[in-house]
Structures are given as structure tokens and as C-alpha cells.
Amino acid sequence: PGPRMESLPEAVLIRILASIPAVDLVLACRLVCCQWKNLVDGAALWILKCQQEGLTGAESEDNAENWQNFYFLSKKRKNLIKNPCGEEDLQHWGEVENGGDGWKIEELPGDFGKEFPSEEVHKYFVTSYEWCRKAQVIDLRAEGYWEELMDTTQPKVVVKDWYAGRRDAGCLYELCVKLLSENEDVLAEYKSETITIPEDNDASWTEISHTFSNYGPGVRFVHFEHGGQDTLFWKGWYGVRVTNSSVTVEP
């Protein structure tokens, strides 16, 4: 018979454990014995898994205090906004306000518009001659971000949105994002100023972003809301255009 597992050098055992799926490491392997528990709870194993899967770099090594959480957050990183570019019409968006002729989805670049910086984006939402606002509420637990993680690690919540006018009309744009508790109390909030795009603008797409950090325990939901209108009050859809909205939870 070969050598028993517990007689292996720790560095060798870490390499063996690193080949096991992360969920199994946490739910099964750490229960085998004290040695395995210490290895699964330590940094070396997760640093190796991050390196093996290309999740590490100088920035992450400087900032990741808990490598296990860093690993899971990096693997889970995705846009939590559903239908961010209008490919599914207005599905998943709640219409908070639907003024004028309401929201409409158009193909890029649109009349008097510009192509989006990314070729992966093909459509946008456009507002009308009175305020149009729409929103999504993200349930963080349903997306796999457990309570202890949100309360203790408090990973960054990164919010991004893109907006543009059309060259022949001025418009207004606003973004408001709230971090909510179980009872939907507001624990942190970002609200942009009302951004005015003048008439005769160049129709360029502009990114707006905000990062929530150190927001305290209790965050369970993210409420994302944006909207705008035109400033000429023309019938139809001459207001601000929005697309490629995103909310990500990051290490």
C-alpha cells in the first residue's frame, strides 16, 4: 500500500485538494479532519486555485483579504441586471414612470445617433417627451450571495450605465441606485445629478459608474433605476437613450 494521505507533505496535499471543485472543498473536504479543515480555511489552497484558473494578479493579491471569498466572488462575477440592452423588449424592467409616448427599444445607432463602443450591444432603450423611468430589484440571496458574505466581507457592488442623446435634440438623464435591507430600508444610495445633454450634441455614448463599499451589514437587495426625457417636448422618442446597464458584486 502507498503512503496515507495524512503523511503527505502539506504542499502536495494542497495541490491534490486544489483539483477538487470548490463547493466540494467547503461542504465535504473540510469536514474530513482537522488538517483538511485548516487547509480549506487557509489562504494557500485558494491562492493556488485562483492562479490555476487565471483569477489572480497583482491587484487581487494586494486587495483580497479572504482568498476563499475572492475565489467564489470572481467565479460568480456576472451582470445581475437582466435584459440590459433591450433584447427582450421591456421584460424584467418595472416601469416606474412611462411619460409621453413611453419607453421604446430601437436598433443602434438609431436616427442621428452613434454606434455603441462595444460591438456586442445592438439595441437601446429610448425615452419620450415626459419623464420615463424604469427599474429592477436584484435579490442578492437568490443570485447566490449569502448573508454572511454580504454582512462580513461586504464585497464591492459596482454599478454602471451608458447614456446618449441624439444630435438633433437635447435631453435629460438620471440614475439612482439603492442598497436595501430585508425590509427594504435604504442602507446606502447613489443618485446622479440630473445630467443635461444639449441640443446639437455629438450623440456620443457616456458611461456613468459608482462603486458601493463599506456599506455595513444587512444588504439583501439592489434597487436600480434610471430614466430621462427630451428637452424639446417633441412627440415620439427624442429623449435620452440608455443601454448596457450593469450591477456586479466584485471582490
Side-chain angles (χ1 to χ4, degrees):
R4 296 171 61 89
M5 287 285 283
E6 59 265 28
S7 68
L8 292 174
E10 188 172 282
V12 175
L13 185 53
I14 285 175
R15 289 199 167 274
I16 294 172
L17 291 174
S19 67
I20 296 173
V23 173
D24 294 332
L25 285 173
V26 174
L27 297 182
C29 293
R30 71 187 299 273
L31 305 179
V32 171
C33 63
C34 289
Q35 182 190 23
W36 286 30
K37 179 181 182 299
N38 291 336
L39 292 178
V40 173
D41 291 345
L45 171 60
W46 297 99
I47 290 173
L48 179 58
K49 284 190 74 67
C50 287
Q51 291 171 340
Q52 289 176 339
E53 299 183 36
L55 302 177
T56 188
E59 180 180 351
S60 62
E61 288 188 30
D62 288 339
N63 298 331
E65 296 178 4
N66 185 320
W67 278 92
Q68 184 182 130
N69 284 342
F70 174 80
Y71 176 87
F72 280 107
L73 286 168
S74 298
K75 293 291 285 186
K76 289 178 65 65
R77 188 183 305 179
K78 63 176 182 177
N79 186 4
L80 301 177
I81 292 287
K82 297 178 173 63
N83 186 27
C85 304
E87 296 291 347
E88 302 173 74
D89 199 49
L90 282 165
Q91 189 172 348
H92 304 296
W93 291 98
E95 294 178 359
V96 179
E97 199 167 349
N98 208 25
D101 288 320
W103 286 96
K104 184 183 179 184
I105 291 91
E106 294 181 346
E107 297 273 351
L108 280 158
D111 293 339
F112 295 92
K114 275 190 176 179
E115 289 289 357
F116 192 76
S118 169
E119 295 180 356
E120 297 177 358
V121 178
H122 306 289
K123 295 182 179 181
Y124 58 84
F125 304 91
V126 58
T127 58
S128 191
Y129 58 86
E130 292 178 350
W131 272 97
C132 297
R133 292 185 174 90
K134 59 185 178 68
Q136 279 192 39
V137 177
I138 298 164
D139 184 337
L140 292 169
R141 284 177 300 192
E143 295 291 346
Y145 299 98
W146 57 99
E147 295 181 4
E148 183 183 1
L149 176 74
M150 298 305 302
D151 292 347
T152 304
T153 303
Q154 294 178 31
K156 292 180 291 185
V157 179
V158 180
V159 178
K160 297 181 180 180
D161 200 20
W162 288 81
Y163 64 90
R166 46 184 287 162
R167 291 192 301 275
D168 60 343
C171 58
L172 305 175
Y173 166 83
E174 287 183 357
L175 171 66
C176 181
V177 185
K178 301 174 183 177
L179 305 186
L180 306 178
S181 70
E182 177 76 33
N183 298 319
E184 300 189 5
D185 298 318
V186 178
L187 301 181
E189 180 177 9
Y190 168 76
K191 188 170 185 179
S192 74
E193 61 182 352
T194 300
I195 297 170
T196 302
I197 301 175
E199 194 176 350
D200 299 322
N201 67 88
D202 64 1
S204 293
W205 286 94
T206 300
E207 183 184 53
I208 184 172
S209 66
H210 178 75
T211 299
F212 292 97
S213 59
N214 301 317
Y215 38 76
V219 172
R220 301 294 178 262
F221 301 95
V222 180
H223 183 278
F224 179 103
E225 180 179 318
H226 63 179
Q229 67 171 89
D230 77 40
T231 52
L232 299 175
F233 303 98
W234 288 348
K235 182 171 176 59
W237 295 273
Y238 294 85
V240 73
R241 300 165 170 184
V242 294
T243 196
N244 206 37
S245 310
S246 67
V247 172
T248 55
V249 178
E250 302 186 4

